[in-house]
Amino acid sequence: MPRETDSIKVFRFALLTNFAAMKILMVCLGNICRSPLAEGILESKARKMGLGWEVDSAGVNNNYHIGEAPHPLSQKVAKLHAVDISNQSARAFTADDFDHFDKIYAMSSDILTGMKNIARNKFDPEKTDLLLNEIYPGENMDVPDPWYGEEEDYHEVYAMIDKACEQIVEKYGYLKTA
């Protein structure tokens, strides 16, 4: 087997240090059901791939849940998949999030509208998308809010988010970011 040259070693190091340093924000209504799941799932997948990503979540409904832990059923379903979201704390989406994050995913179209209303002139359509557009491009499908549902609804939401997060890792995992 041929030996790896010094130039190849340098190239490999450059790939590892310069690629995949993304900052991604997941946004839902109260930041206690869908977006904490999305944060936890994507963070777990990125960590397993050795990606140095920063993943966070927020909510557009600034009047509720700030500082609260994720919904107990979101925590339960995540834990069943070896994803721990218990240390997360709900926070409000702000216009300044557009200055910090490379990509911002809304869980549904009403959330995207809420983001536009909050961000106003800072809203950047190039940085935003509906999460499920990662697996169903251009279909603008919503991740349903399981808040009023049963535990099974949280399992279904987890599966949707998991599939989309897998696609995000495949899509952006090795792209260079500025």
Side-chain angles (χ1 to χ4, degrees):
M1 180 163 200
R3 288 190 52 199
E4 190 172 51
T5 65
D6 287 342
S7 60
I8 292 174
K9 287 179 185 175
V10 169
F11 178 71
R12 285 180 190 243
F13 178 76
L15 283 175
L16 292 173
T17 58
N18 291 324
F19 283 57
M22 300 241 352
K23 297 177 191 169
I24 299 175
L25 181 65
M26 303 294 194
V27 185
C28 70
L29 185 62
N31 192 213
I32 61 167
C33 293
R34 295 171 289 177
S35 59
L37 281 173
E39 175 187 346
I41 293 167
L42 184 58
E43 189 174 61
S44 175
K45 289 180 181 299
R47 186 175 48 253
K48 286 177 185 171
M49 293 291 295
L51 303 173
W53 287 3
E54 176 186 336
V55 184
D56 196 5
S57 61
V60 295
N61 189 339
N62 297 337
N63 297 324
Y64 299 108
H65 307 300
I66 302 302
E68 290 182 23
H71 190 283
L73 287 174
S74 287
Q75 290 189 54
K76 178 180 180 179
V77 170
K79 190 173 185 178
L80 290 172
H81 294 276
V83 175
D84 183 7
I85 62 172
S86 63
N87 291 322
Q88 292 182 22
S89 177
R91 75 168 185 88
F93 174 80
T94 69
D96 290 337
D97 285 326
F98 279 98
D99 295 331
H100 184 74
F101 291 95
D102 301 310
K103 192 72 180 173
I104 303 175
Y105 289 101
M107 296 298 118
S108 56
S109 56
D110 61 320
I111 302 307
L112 192 56
T113 299
M115 290 165 49
K116 289 177 186 176
N117 291 338
I118 292 166
R120 298 186 188 272
N121 62 343
K122 282 194 171 187
F123 184 82
D124 184 349
E126 296 297 315
K127 287 187 173 188
T128 60
D129 204 354
L130 293 173
L131 180 66
L132 293 185
N133 277 344
E134 288 297 340
I135 48 178
Y136 305 108
E139 292 189 25
N140 298 326
M141 296 173 61
D142 293 345
V143 175
D145 191 345
W147 173 256
Y148 294 106
E150 302 295 324
E151 182 175 333
E152 183 57 34
D153 298 309
Y154 286 81
H155 288 281
E156 290 173 14
V157 164
Y158 184 96
M160 290 176 190
I161 293 171
D162 184 63
K163 190 173 179 182
C165 288
E166 187 65 36
Q167 181 62 32
I168 292 167
V169 168
E170 288 178 23
K171 182 176 181 179
Y172 296 112
Y174 299 100
L175 294 178
K176 186 174 182 179
T177 58

